[in-house]
Amino acid sequence: MTDPEASNAALQPADPAEDSWRGSVPDASATDLENLLGTGVGAAQEQLERNGGFLPFALVVENDGEVRLVAVTPADAAGGTDADFDADGMIADLTELLRQHRDEFRAAAIVCDITLLEEDSDAIHVAAEHRDGSVFAAVLPYGGNPETNALEFGELSADTNEPTVWVD
């Protein structure tokens, strides 16, 4: 099981000077985004360790501060197979669902499994945004260790992100 405190701690850079994004957003917004990033990474790690993979999902910080999971069913699930699903379609469905209900929450994040081509590695990707326009994304590479048959996670790093929920 993943320790949520460890996930949140991993989001903090060793050198505060490297933390330029946090200084550019209101504290409350930064706290919401960090909460979504830590929760998203932790939930994805847990699913990877338990099931060997995970489907794209979203998290929201409701207006009262509660964090809630949002999921959609893969379109291919109706056909009785989950071997091949349309992750891009699921992300588009999640984005549309979040857009439709954006008045009900103040921050949202989409969590998905990506491939880092340059590193030849899979990674957890969390793209978070706040209704005030603040955005932040992070990538956590992972892979199987052939000697131990266990998953190993790399270093969490910032990634670029554009708003998708609070846009018109």
Side-chain angles (χ1 to χ4, degrees):
M1 196 144 145
T2 303
D3 178 8
E5 292 298 319
S7 294
N8 285 334
L11 297 173
Q12 304 301 319
D15 178 2
E18 294 176 18
D19 200 5
S20 60
W21 80 272
R22 199 174 203 302
S24 66
V25 301
D27 281 345
S29 300
T31 298
D32 283 343
L33 296 177
E34 288 172 343
N35 190 9
L36 290 173
L37 287 164
T39 303
V41 165
Q45 284 177 309
E46 188 173 311
Q47 289 299 309
L48 283 166
E49 290 169 349
R50 183 181 302 150
N51 304 318
F54 68 96
L55 297 174
F57 63 92
L59 297 165
V60 297
V61 177
E62 295 182 327
N63 292 322
D64 65 3
E66 291 294 315
V67 175
R68 185 171 52 99
L69 176 78
V70 177
V72 295
T73 304
D76 299 8
T81 177
D82 61 342
D84 292 314
F85 62 92
D86 181 5
D88 291 336
M90 289 181 72
I91 293 167
D93 290 348
L94 283 166
T95 302
E96 184 58 32
L97 185 62
L98 294 174
R99 282 185 188 150
Q100 291 173 3
H101 295 278
R102 66 186 178 191
D103 292 340
E104 299 170 21
F105 50 88
R106 62 186 191 219
I110 294 180
V111 184
C112 60
D113 197 354
I114 64 171
T115 301
L116 301 173
L117 297 176
E118 290 181 11
E119 289 84 9
D120 192 28
S121 169
D122 291 321
I124 298 167
H125 186 265
V126 183
E129 66 182 277
H130 201 278
R131 73 165 46 136
D132 70 6
S134 303
V135 294
F136 189 73
V139 176
L140 180 65
Y142 71 88
N145 181 327
E147 294 176 15
T148 64
N149 235 11
L151 279 178
E152 292 184 349
F153 295 92
E155 293 292 318
L156 188 68
S157 61
D159 193 24
T160 58
N161 185 32
E162 294 294 324
T164 59
V165 176
W166 283 277
V167 294
D168 293 318

